[in-house]
Amino acid sequence: EIVMTQSPATLSVSPGERATLSCRASQSVGSNLVWYQQKPGQAPRLLIYGASTRATGIPARFSGSGSGTEFTLTISSLQSEDFAVYYCQQYNNWPPYTFGQGTKLEIK
Amino acid sequence: EVQLVESGGGLVKPGGSLRLSCAASGFTFSSYNMNWVRQAPGKGLEWVSSISSSSTYIYYADSLKGRFTISRDNAKNSLYLQMNSLRAEDTAVYYCARSDRGWFDPWGQGTLVTVSS
């Protein structure tokens, strides 16, 4: 089973600033990684697939990068609606599909 | 509009059973693999089970140890999860989600399952 590790657990950033979230895989997953955003009381929403491709309707301030075992989600200029929990998930080796434990992005 | 609507959650005693349903609309249900993912209160996401479009391939998380059964009815555009021998640690919001080339999109709003005496 591939273990996904996200860091940091909590990130405090001011609106308008840049946020950088990390996700590490215990073995290579190629580019087979996605990022989801989850707000309180809501289902997760797909942000990025294929490590770097934005899903339909996702603003350009969200970008993904990386391959192999190291991945990054960058939000270039934080808006109030971006404060949420973010999860990465690998789909290279399954079952099982595995998720990171999440990074909570909070307002500083 | 693609929509997934779960139902069937509720309060059940340890050792009990529950059947979750997910009604799909807005897409050709029979063409997609489908999944269940759960989230314990205040915790992260955990994949539970996947089923291929024609039910040929079915997969489960090892932690379930044969207690859960996924199924689908393409004529009714519906996905199911039969949960038996429920434990306190099965308490979670259960989401159904469509597979799209390996990831999950979209997700339903979830249904809460609480296992407690």
Side-chain angles (χ1 to χ4, degrees):
Chain A
E1 172 176 329
I2 296 178
V3 177
M4 308 300 294
T5 303
Q6 292 185 239
S7 61
T10 303
L11 182 61
S12 300
V13 182
S14 300
E17 294 189 340
R18 173 187 297 257
T20 302
L21 290 67
S22 296
C23 175
R24 173 177 293 179
S26 60
Q27 63 188 77
S28 177
V29 298
S31 294
N32 297 317
L33 181 115
V34 295
W35 290 93
Y36 301 98
Q37 176 194 67
Q38 187 179 33
K39 297 180 180 179
Q42 296 185 15
R45 177 176 73 143
L46 178 70
L47 294 178
I48 301 285
Y49 63 88
S52 61
T53 302
R54 280 189 304 278
T56 301
I58 301 303
R61 64 180 181 273
F62 290 90
S63 63
S65 63
S67 66
T69 62
E70 300 284 343
F71 300 88
T72 300
L73 174 69
T74 301
I75 311 170
S76 59
S77 179
L78 280 164
Q79 307 297 304
S80 58
E81 63 266 28
D82 299 336
F83 292 95
V85 179
Y86 292 83
Y87 294 94
C88 60
Q89 176 230 321
Q90 67 83 22
Y91 56 96
N92 190 65
N93 280 28
W94 65 274
Y97 293 103
T98 49
F99 296 87
Q101 80 279 20
T103 291
K104 181 180 181 181
L105 181 57
E106 63 177 26
I107 301 174
K108 186 174 182 179
Chain B
E1 177 194 5
V2 174
Q3 195 168 14
L4 299 170
V5 179
E6 301 93 337
S7 60
L11 176 63
V12 61
K13 290 181 168 53
S17 297
L18 213 53
R19 189 195 196 206
L20 306 183
S21 299
C22 172
S25 60
F27 65 102
T28 305
F29 180 74
S30 60
S31 296
Y32 287 86
N33 301 341
M34 295 295 295
N35 311 272
W36 289 99
V37 179
R38 68 183 180 182
Q39 186 171 36
K43 302 298 185 183
L45 301 167
E46 179 187 19
W47 170 76
V48 170
S49 182
S50 298
I51 186 169
S52 64
S53 58
S54 58
S55 304
T56 302
Y57 302 102
I58 288 175
Y59 305 97
Y60 298 99
D62 287 345
S63 62
L64 300 180
K65 297 182 179 178
R67 298 183 296 119
F68 290 11
T69 302
I70 192 172
S71 63
R72 63 190 295 161
D73 185 336
N74 286 343
K76 295 183 178 179
N77 290 340
S78 293
L79 175 72
Y80 306 102
L81 186 68
Q82 177 67 44
M83 304 186 295
N84 298 330
S85 303
L86 283 162
R87 307 167 179 169
E89 54 264 36
D90 296 317
T91 294
V93 174
Y94 286 73
Y95 295 100
C96 73
R98 187 180 71 173
S99 281
D100 188 345
R101 293 163 281 174
W103 56 87
F104 306 129
D105 182 54
W107 300 54
Q109 87 288 349
T111 188
L112 176 62
V113 173
T114 303
V115 184
S116 175
S117 55

